[in-house]
Amino acid sequence: MSASATASPRLSAQFELASPDLAWTNRFATLGNEFFTELRPVAVPKPSWVATSADCAALLGLREDWTEREDWQALQVFSGNALWNGMQPLASVYSGHQFGVWAGQLGDGRALWLGELNTPGGPLELQLKGSGLTPYSRMGDGRAVLRSSIREFLCSEAMHALGVPTTRALCVTASPLPVRREEVETAALVTRVAPSFIRFGHFEHFASRNQTAALRRIADFTLDNYYPECRAEAQPYAALLEAVTRRTASMVADWQALGFCHGVMNTDNMSILGLTIDYGPFGFLDGFDPGHICNHSDDQGRYAYARQPSVALWNLHALGQALLPLIGEPEAALAALDPFRSVFSQAMLARLSAKLGLHTTQEPDNRLIDDFMTLMAQDRSDFTIVFRRLASFNTDVGANNDALRDAFIDRPAFDAWARRYAERLRQEGSIDAERALRMNRVNPRFVLRNHLAEAAIAQARDGDFSEVRRLLEILRRPFDEQEENPQYAAYPPAWAQGIEVSCSS
Ligand code: AMP
Ligand code: MG
């Protein structure tokens, strides 16, 4: 290993390794001291690879043998035991509203920004999560446990494959280092990848302290690097708010259409790029319950499935409030937030029309869609399975559609709805086989259900990472039939209902 000779990189991160032909740019690190603290990751003992994402590695332009090159350098780097030349590790400071209450200063308490790579698809930042104490760790230990790191890794890659804007995940590494939660667990690190990790909370931080120059700096940075089209507008900061509003509305529509619950939609967990970020106690719906709360710590159900759109808008208001010193007129900020409802409802109608296999998106279809969702909610029909089965709907008069019908308890209500649906499809001359192909490209067969993650985590705790890797393979092709893997598309087992996922990660 080409590390400096003073100590083993296994024990300390005081080292820089020759970077394997990677070009780092690190624009965020040019922002200045108010925005971050530069520091190194804290090393862990005996790191090992849990899983890596070949898709994410390809995105970064890493060579196929990247995990093994130069005597396993990458393992040391992505467990926080070494750095590649050109990396500029730092923890950024932000604030935020947690569960609707102003929480003051937060920041990267266990994450470390490593640097920014120039890739064929544009610059991408890399970030370690679980890399030890930072000035923003507050009461925490700066670590992440194996369980939550596996969940974040798998869901990041799964969401990307589902077509949802998200931060990506390159790898998970594990260490036997003990980490205390409700019980003693072990440490792991996940390496996240995104064009930027800037959150709403970054803006709230400087606004709350009346640091308007710094606020302007990060807003300008965001405009110049990620929203250059807003620069041309008469009011660039209002245009930025509107662009974030539109992206966020569209992202939440993606979540709703997949039955995804984020679980902790605090403003510090909202990406300025409209990416899904900070996977914690997330969950995909099994039986459809609009009031489903996936986060065991969310007593009030603030982040219940059906509330996600309105919480997103609430969070955008917090961002608007933070940007107000730059925008000037409250009316301009409100006007920038205004498109949320129409963008969200149009996106929902488009997603759900596609899920029903309708060629056209028409306002009157809202009734047909709503009635279907109401039926699903009444019968707690499995969200993913029902939509997937809908693809095999037969529009012939008198067809029985038993496979789908079986997913409902109120059969007469289903039959009545099915007649309307068949009628609507016939109206637009829908061809069953063609429509099925289209529907199978938007209604996934595989999502990261909690019980699947739990089973992979249980094995991983015994040192067997094969199920994590297998799940990744399945979830990177969620729309494929994958006939060899029927159990991963099946109804959840009874014990899945008892799984509790909380913020403690
Ligand atoms: P989260 O709810 O996971 O988004 O975390 C909220 C804040 O707490 C963020 O600033 C995190 O960096 C911080 N945090 C969460 N867990 C830990 C931990 N184990 N050690 C240090 N900081 C943490
Ligand atoms: Mg967070």
Side-chain angles (χ1 to χ4, degrees), residues 377-399:
Q378 272 168 13
D379 293 353
R380 293 285 187 269
S381 309
D382 188 275
F383 194 92
T384 306
I385 289 177
V386 162
F387 275 113
R388 186 74 181 186
R389 282 193 190 169
L390 204 54
S392 54
F393 190 84
N394 183 338
T395 47
D396 291 349
V397 179

Side-chain angles (χ1 to χ4, degrees), residues 20-22 24 53-67 69 74 78 84 117 119-120 126 170-171 193:
D21 44 74
L22 300 174
W24 301 91
S53 164
D55 294 338
C56 187
L59 188 70
L60 290 170
L62 299 181
R63 271 177 31 178
E64 247 171 56
D65 60 348
W66 70 278
T67 57
R69 287 184 69 186
F78 295 116
W84 277 322
L117 272 182
T119 80
L126 277 75
L170 176 65
C171 57
V193 174

Side-chain angles (χ1 to χ4, degrees), residues 112-233:
L112 216 52
W113 189 91
L114 290 177
E116 183 184 37
L117 272 182
N118 268 325
T119 80
L124 288 171
E125 298 180 352
L126 277 75
Q127 193 188 62
L128 292 178
K129 183 167 176 181
S131 48
L133 288 172
T134 81
Y136 316 111
S137 298
R138 298 178 296 149
M139 310 298 281
D141 55 9
R143 291 298 179 191
V145 294
L146 182 61
R147 137 181 82 81
S148 66
S149 304
I150 288 173
R151 283 172 52 89
E152 173 146 21
F153 170 77
L154 287 176
C155 202
S156 307
E157 292 303 276
M159 290 286 269
H160 170 72
L162 289 165
V164 184
T166 177
T167 59
R168 301 292 301 272
L170 176 65
C171 57
V172 191
T173 61
S175 160
L177 180 76
V179 176
R180 186 171 290 281
R181 293 293 179 263
E182 277 85 7
E183 50 194 55
V184 177
E185 303 184 41
T186 57
L189 289 93
V190 53
T191 299
R192 307 194 286 195
V193 174
S196 170
F197 288 95
I198 296 177
R199 300 144 189 271
F200 292 9
H202 281 98
F203 299 86
E204 290 179 278
H205 180 73
F206 297 105
S208 71
R209 296 172 172 220
N210 296 318
Q211 291 178 251
T212 309
L215 176 66
R216 190 180 301 278
R217 187 104 207 272
I218 193 157
D220 285 342
F221 181 86
T222 304
L223 277 168
D224 293 340
N225 292 308
Y226 309 110
Y227 290 93
E229 67 282 5
C230 295
R231 269 290 182 214
E233 299 292 326

Side-chain angles (χ1 to χ4, degrees), residues 94 98 106-107 109-110 137-138 140-143 181 269 278:
Y94 52 81
Q98 297 182 316
L106 302 164
R110 52 177 170 164
S137 298
R138 298 178 296 149
D141 55 9
R143 291 298 179 191
R181 293 293 179 263
N269 292 338
D278 275 12

